[in-house]
Amino acid sequence: MVIRKAEERDIAGMTSVFALAVENTSELYTVNQRAAWVSQALRPAFWDDMLRTHHVLVCFEMNTLCGLISFSTRGEISMLYILPQFQRKGIATRMINIISEFAHEEGYAHVKVDASLYLRPLLVKLGFELVEEYQKVIRNVEFPNAILVKELI
């Protein structure tokens, strides 16, 4: 497993990981919810902005881009997606731990995640605490979401 800083050449792979991971949440989200969710990542400007404004890491396993995570300057993990066939192999945990360590070294007091229903159980297992549940809106479609926080100090 290789985890490194994302580069512009990774955008096609990141888009694929994002779309396939969202599609894998079919037991929790409707077709309309998943379509709205994926639509945001299909715009090239989305990824250009993400690479410019966030600390983005990608994970490779056997030369396949299989995961990505992003961390904003506001101290928030804004994206964490793993290809379905690589899920439940410790990749997400490792990426969260790397970002948490980075955040701690940078002086952040906590890491915040705006989490989907799918990600919430892993975050709780890793010591994140539920702060708020709310309805997120993407392209006029509502999603159940939650904010979870993990103290670093």
Side-chain angles (χ1 to χ4, degrees):
M1 177 185 323
V2 174
I3 298 175
R4 65 162 171 78
K5 184 175 180 180
E7 301 172 359
E8 191 173 315
R9 66 186 169 130
D10 299 318
I11 290 175
M14 291 188 304
T15 302
S16 180
V17 168
F18 185 103
L20 291 169
V22 169
E23 190 56 38
N24 192 52
T25 65
S26 60
E27 73 277 4
L28 298 172
Y29 296 99
T30 68
V31 170
N32 287 343
Q33 287 172 322
R34 293 190 316 269
W37 194 351
V38 167
S39 70
Q40 64 187 345
L42 299 179
R43 299 176 296 112
F46 174 85
W47 294 107
D48 291 338
D49 183 55
M50 185 63 61
L51 290 175
R52 190 174 29 78
T53 61
H54 289 68
H55 182 71
V56 182
L57 300 178
V58 288
C59 180
F60 289 85
E61 186 72 45
M62 299 176 292
N63 295 319
T64 299
L65 197 160
C66 62
L68 67 112
I69 190 169
S70 67
F71 185 71
S72 75
T73 57
R74 296 183 320 245
E76 181 176 335
I77 294 174
S78 53
M79 293 196 319
L80 174 59
Y81 296 97
I82 308 296
L83 281 177
Q85 64 268 34
F86 290 93
Q87 291 176 3
R88 292 178 172 65
K89 296 183 186 288
I91 295 170
T93 298
R94 183 141 182 230
M95 295 183 89
I96 289 168
N97 289 339
I98 290 170
I99 288 295
S100 295
E101 187 175 306
F102 168 79
H104 180 71
E105 290 171 0
E106 293 293 310
Y108 289 88
H110 63 269
V111 173
K112 177 180 166 184
V113 183
D114 187 357
S116 67
L117 292 173
Y118 196 78
L119 183 57
R120 196 181 312 180
L122 173 63
L123 294 170
V124 169
K125 181 180 172 185
L126 294 176
F128 285 77
E129 294 184 22
L130 179 64
V131 173
E132 175 186 358
E133 292 182 320
Y134 73 101
Q135 293 294 310
K136 184 174 192 168
V137 178
I138 300 174
R139 300 204 183 255
N140 297 318
V141 179
E142 288 190 351
F143 298 78
N145 241 43
I147 295 174
L148 292 96
V149 173
K150 182 176 183 178
E151 299 298 325
L152 298 176
I153 298 176

